[in-house]
Amino acid sequence: MRLAMRSGASFLELVTVLTMMGVILAIAAPRMRVVPRQADAAAIQLTLALEEAQRTALATQQQVLALLDSGGRRVRLVEDRDGDGELTAGERARWIPLGEQVRFEDPPVRVDGTMAAGAIVGTGFDTVTALPAIHFRRDGSASVAAEFYLTVTGKTVEHRAVVLPRATAHAEWYRYGDGSWKRGAP
């Protein structure tokens, strides 16, 4: 006696599995906090881009520029091989996106507790290709101490900050909540 082999799943089995998945998703979806995760990801991405610029400057012993495109929600890293502070032909450059929902925007208050005065805070920024630029030097320092404020809006509004000290150029990011800034994960 031969048994008939059956391959695949019946329509009823597929509907049952899809229904179960829908129920699980309906339970889990409200608990997913997408906006805070997007804000954290953007702050981490900006921090990593600045750290990459510093590491590249140290490793190659040449200046690296970080250009901040607030409208395009991205950072451009330029290996300034000739040291002229400009993007010229033959110099390696790449864009690092921060996310589609991310905006550079004034925070409720700055990390130090003073009144906010812009999304990109610092004195002495150069302008390269019409974008504010930070020069990372061969010794690992930055040309300017700066603060960058990011906002992601969805069901909630999330604020993040990235602080870049001039001497060490070791960027750190912060979360805003309950009326104060708290340092993000290392």
Side-chain angles (χ1 to χ4, degrees), residues 18-58:
L18 290 174
T19 302
M20 289 171 42
M21 288 174 61
V23 169
I24 291 169
L25 184 60
I27 292 169
R31 295 174 191 224
M32 286 193 222
R33 297 180 37 174
V34 176
V35 174
R37 294 192 198 302
Q38 288 175 332
D40 287 350
I44 290 167
Q45 189 69 14
L46 178 55
T47 302
L48 291 174
L50 297 172
E51 288 177 357
E52 180 182 340
Q54 180 196 36
R55 279 192 309 272
T56 303
L58 286 167

Side-chain angles (χ1 to χ4, degrees), residues 4-152:
M5 298 282 294
R6 183 181 101 151
S7 65
S10 71
F11 179 71
L12 183 57
E13 291 169 330
L14 286 173
V15 169
T16 303
V17 169
L18 290 174
T19 302
M20 289 171 42
M21 288 174 61
V23 169
I24 291 169
L25 184 60
I27 292 169
R31 295 174 191 224
M32 286 193 222
R33 297 180 37 174
V34 176
V35 174
R37 294 192 198 302
Q38 288 175 332
D40 287 350
I44 290 167
Q45 189 69 14
L46 178 55
T47 302
L48 291 174
L50 297 172
E51 288 177 357
E52 180 182 340
Q54 180 196 36
R55 279 192 309 272
T56 303
L58 286 167
T60 62
Q61 284 297 292
Q62 62 190 13
Q63 181 171 255
V64 175
L65 307 174
L67 311 176
L68 297 144
D69 182 4
S70 58
R73 299 176 302 273
R74 57 192 182 165
V75 178
R76 188 170 200 184
L77 299 184
V78 178
E79 293 181 27
D80 187 18
R81 293 184 178 143
D82 57 11
D84 66 353
E86 297 292 328
L87 174 58
T88 54
E91 293 179 332
R92 197 169 101 174
R94 72 181 187 98
W95 288 105
I96 299 172
L98 300 178
E100 289 187 29
Q101 304 300 321
V102 178
R103 292 184 319 278
F104 283 87
E105 192 172 271
D106 290 1
V109 63
R110 289 179 53 189
V111 172
D112 64 6
T114 61
M115 293 300 296
I120 299 175
V121 179
T123 57
F125 280 103
D126 285 336
T127 303
V128 176
T129 62
L131 299 174
I134 300 170
H135 301 259
F136 287 86
R137 300 183 183 108
R138 295 181 300 198
D139 65 0
S141 66
S143 61
V144 62
E147 298 172 17
F148 311 98
Y149 294 97
L150 308 171
T151 300
V152 177

